[in-house]
Amino acid sequence: MALSLGLTNLILFFVAGSLLYYYSATFRYYFKVCFLNGWMLGMSLVVLPVVALRGRDVANMRVLRFVMLPVKYILGLEIRVQGATNLNLKGPYVVVANHQGNVDFLGMFQILPERCTVIAKRELFYLFTIGLVCWLSGFLLVDFKEAMDSIVSVTADSLVQDNVPVIPVVMSSYQHFLKEKTKRFTSGEVTIRILPPVSTKGLGPANVLELTKRVQETMCFTFDEISGDVGSKSGSKPDNHQRSDIC
C-alpha cells in the first residue's frame, strides 16, 4: 500500500512538473538554468577522477568537450558555426571571443581545438569541483583586470617574437531565446562566426592598442550582424541585444 502510494505521488510529481514546464515560461527558465548548472557540477564530479589521474594537462579538454557537447540537444539549442576553416592554421594562434553567460561554454567546446589554454575568471575556481576540473584542464584562472592585461601581454609578446595571428570569434546574442529579465529560456539558435585571422606580422608592442581596438570594432559589428540575422529567422526582433563583454 505504501509502495503504491509512493509510486502514485511520484507519477503526479512528474505530471505536474511536465505541465509546469510546458505552460510556465518562468518554471521552464529556472529549470533550464538549474539543469545547465547542475549538469556542469554533476559532470565535474564524474570526470574529476579521470582528469586528476592525468594531472594538469590541456589534453583534459577532450573530456570536458565529451561531457558538455550533449547539453545543447537537451536544452533545445542549435549551434551553427560559420568560418570553421579559419581555425585550420598550422602553429599557435590567439582566439578572442565575446562573453554573455554560461551558455558560452557550449559554444566554446563546439569550436575550440582539443589542445588549447582558456583564460577564465578566477571566481570559476571557487565553484566546487567545476573550478578544479577546469584548472586541471589547463584553464588560466585570473581576475578580470588581470585577464585583460594577460591578453594584451601575450599578444604583445607574440607580436614581437612569433607573429602569432589573432582569430576573433563572435557568438550571436541569446536574447531571442534567453532573457533573464523576463525569465524566458526557450529553444533557439546560436550562430558562431569565426572571422579570418588577423595578421600581426610586422607589428610591435606600440601597435597593440590599435590592434585591440580594430579587432573589437570588427567583433561588435559582427555581433550586431549575426544577432540580427538569427533574430529575424526566429521570428522576433533582437531588440536590446545582450551586449557582450567585447562591446
Side-chain angles (χ1 to χ4, degrees):
M1 182 68 178
L3 180 62
S4 177
L5 181 60
L7 182 60
T8 301
N9 289 335
L10 183 62
I11 293 174
L12 289 175
F13 174 80
F14 279 108
V15 170
S18 299
L19 290 174
L20 281 171
Y21 184 87
Y22 186 80
Y23 289 105
S24 173
T26 301
F27 178 86
R28 186 164 52 248
Y29 168 83
Y30 282 111
F31 177 85
K32 286 192 171 186
V33 169
C34 291
F35 176 83
L36 176 58
N37 294 331
W39 180 279
M40 293 170 63
L41 178 60
M43 287 299 103
S44 67
L45 288 168
V46 172
V47 304
L48 180 58
V50 178
V51 299
L53 285 174
R54 182 181 283 136
R56 192 162 191 255
D57 192 329
V58 294
N60 286 327
M61 284 284 288
R62 300 175 188 172
V63 181
L64 298 189
R65 180 197 300 272
F66 178 78
V67 299
M68 288 302 296
L69 283 181
V71 181
K72 63 181 180 181
Y73 301 110
I74 301 173
L75 296 179
L77 300 180
E78 180 181 354
I79 299 178
R80 300 188 296 114
V81 180
Q82 302 174 351
T85 55
N86 288 324
L87 291 177
N88 297 338
L89 298 182
K90 294 182 179 179
Y93 52 83
V94 175
V95 173
V96 180
N98 59 322
H99 168 67
Q100 300 177 72
N102 283 348
V103 177
D104 294 344
F105 281 105
L106 307 183
M108 179 181 73
F109 289 116
Q110 181 84 21
I111 65 166
L112 287 182
E114 292 182 347
R115 295 184 61 85
C116 65
T117 300
V118 178
I119 297 178
K121 292 184 178 181
R122 180 177 293 165
E123 289 77 8
L124 183 65
F125 185 76
Y126 302 106
L127 295 179
F128 305 104
T129 49
I130 296 176
L132 182 56
V133 167
C134 288
W135 182 80
L136 286 170
S137 300
F139 278 49
L140 299 178
L141 304 177
V142 298
D143 64 37
F144 184 76
K145 185 178 185 303
E146 287 178 354
M148 297 306 294
D149 291 343
S150 297
I151 292 173
V152 171
S153 177
V154 168
T155 303
D157 291 340
S158 300
L159 290 171
V160 175
Q161 298 175 9
D162 302 317
N163 293 319
V164 175
V166 176
I167 301 181
V169 173
V170 184
M171 286 181 273
S172 62
S173 173
Y174 306 151
Q175 284 289 292
H176 66 283
F177 67 87
L178 175 58
K179 288 186 179 182
E180 181 180 1
K181 184 176 293 185
T182 58
K183 299 298 181 286
R184 179 173 176 265
F185 196 162
T186 63
S187 301
E189 292 182 355
V190 178
T191 298
I192 302 177
R193 181 174 294 177
I194 303 170
L195 301 177
V198 178
S199 175
T200 60
K201 188 175 181 179
L203 301 181
N207 305 111
V208 171
L209 292 180
E210 179 186 350
L211 174 66
T212 303
K213 183 178 180 181
R214 177 155 52 94
V215 170
Q216 182 182 27
E217 290 176 349
T218 301
M219 293 180 69
C220 286
F221 175 82
T222 304
F223 178 81
D224 288 333
E225 183 180 26
I226 62 177
S227 296
D229 289 342
V230 172
S232 62
K233 289 180 181 178
S234 67
S236 61
K237 294 182 179 180
D239 56 315
N240 297 324
H241 286 166
Q242 200 168 356
R243 302 294 286 182
S244 56
D245 282 356
I246 202 67
C247 297

